[in-house]
Amino acid sequence: MKYIEKLRNSGLRPTKQRLQICEVLFNTDKTFHFTINELEQKIKKQANNKISLATLYNTVHAFEKKGYLKQIPINSSETYFDTNVTDHHHFYDLKEEKLIDLENSDVGPINILKKINGKKIKSVEVLVKLED
Amino acid sequence: MKYIEKLRNSGLRPTKQRLQICEVLFNTDKTFHFTINELEQKIKKQANNKISLATLYNTVHAFEKKGYLKQIPINSSETYFDTNVTDHHHFYDLKEEKLIDLENSDVGPINILKKINGKKIKSVEVLVKLED
DNA sequence: ATAGTAGTTTATAATGATTCTAAAAAACTG
DNA sequence: CAGTTTTTTAGAATCATTATAAACTACTAT
């Protein structure tokens, strides 16, 4: 299994549940956005079994901490995650309530001119809201 | 009262509560960020009385819809609002969990090169996360 | 292998922000 | 002022997320 090493290297035991979550999240050509509830559904269908919500929350947060997932900063009732962890941005279609990736090349370079003493920039995220 | 007209023009009856909220939010030199709970506290102190949470939620959302407030897109357990409704961006200090304004002039111009058919850009918001 | 231990999963309860409800109060209209 | 509509309110309901603590699983050293 290709994810066993990845998990071990991160200090996470390669359990059946984590491997299954890896399959659903990472074993695909395209990256995608999801909420915990959507992930639960996807696992029910794709792997035809159930992983408890608690585990999904734990695992997704662990993966986020390790940098395998990114949280998308958007005000919504549910938290959105992204399997695309490269530097990139998002459109948010207000009507459809849907996120669309904006590759880095779709956005001109962003220059942050202001500095805060003793702090360094961890990330720069752009959210472009769309209306009709 | 200077806010009576503003409210009436927005189709909102100028009630005692709404006027009080206007005072706290807008009768100040500096703009600021707040959560509903912080607003509740501020009103308790500043106006020395209590407005129910339901009213605070209703009013803040009404003001947002009218463009007097902006929601700040950030993943936090509470929703943050901003009395600065001009185009601008934010630092988010991950350690202190604090928002800091980035004036438009602090960020170079942002060019969105990708277009989505039939949609137009409503807003472009940049969130810059800071770490130590 | 096996026993011990440290980490993980799980169902369920708890939490907490937000929304809903429906009755009382206030603002408006004629 | 009487009637209508809007607003406020306390408290209940909702719903995503987190905490709990017991059962289970993966690992380690023998």
Side-chain angles (χ1 to χ4, degrees), chain B residues 41 50 62 66 87 113-114 126-127:
Chain B
Q41 294 309 310
K50 180 178 171 295
K66 296 299 176 185
D87 254 330
L113 306 172
K114 188 175 185 176
V126 180
L127 184 66

Side-chain angles (χ1 to χ4, degrees), chain A residues 92-108:
Chain A
Y92 184 61
D93 186 329
L94 291 164
K95 197 179 180 192
E96 315 278 348
E97 297 188 349
K98 248 180 43 191
L99 283 161
I100 302 163
D101 269 359
L102 259 172
E103 292 312 321
N104 232 352
S105 57
D106 297 329
V107 180

Side-chain angles (χ1 to χ4, degrees), chain A residues 120-131:
Chain A
K120 63 173 194 277
I121 291 173
K122 188 184 180 197
S123 66
V124 176
E125 294 162 288
V126 180
L127 184 65
V128 181
K129 290 190 180 154
L130 294 177
E131 61 189 352

Side-chain angles (χ1 to χ4, degrees), chain A residues 6-66:
Chain A
K6 180 174 181 165
L7 287 171
R8 247 194 267 275
N9 290 338
S10 313
L12 298 171
R13 289 188 178 170
T15 63
K16 187 159 55 79
Q17 289 85 345
R18 284 177 180 158
L19 289 169
Q20 226 158 73
I21 294 171
C22 280
E23 287 291 333
V24 170
L25 292 181
F26 307 125
N27 197 23
T28 164
D29 289 339
K30 289 197 224 320
T31 61
F32 60 96
H33 310 127
F34 67 94
T35 63
I36 297 286
N37 284 298
E38 288 166 359
L39 178 58
E40 195 195 16
Q41 295 309 310
K42 208 161 183 162
I43 284 170
K44 254 191 206 138
K45 279 188 197 140
Q46 210 164 313
N48 200 41
N49 85 349
K50 182 179 169 295
I51 296 180
S52 80
L53 271 181
T55 300
L56 293 174
Y57 276 100
N58 285 341
T59 304
V60 165
H61 285 139
F63 285 4
E64 192 207 354
K65 196 166 291 173
K66 296 299 177 186

Side-chain angles (χ1 to χ4, degrees), chain B residues 113-131:
Chain B
L113 306 172
K114 188 175 185 176
K115 301 286 173 235
I116 303 282
N117 248 339
K119 302 282 178 183
K120 61 174 197 278
I121 290 173
K122 189 185 178 196
S123 66
V124 176
E125 293 160 290
V126 180
L127 184 66
V128 181
K129 291 192 179 152
L130 295 177
E131 62 188 352

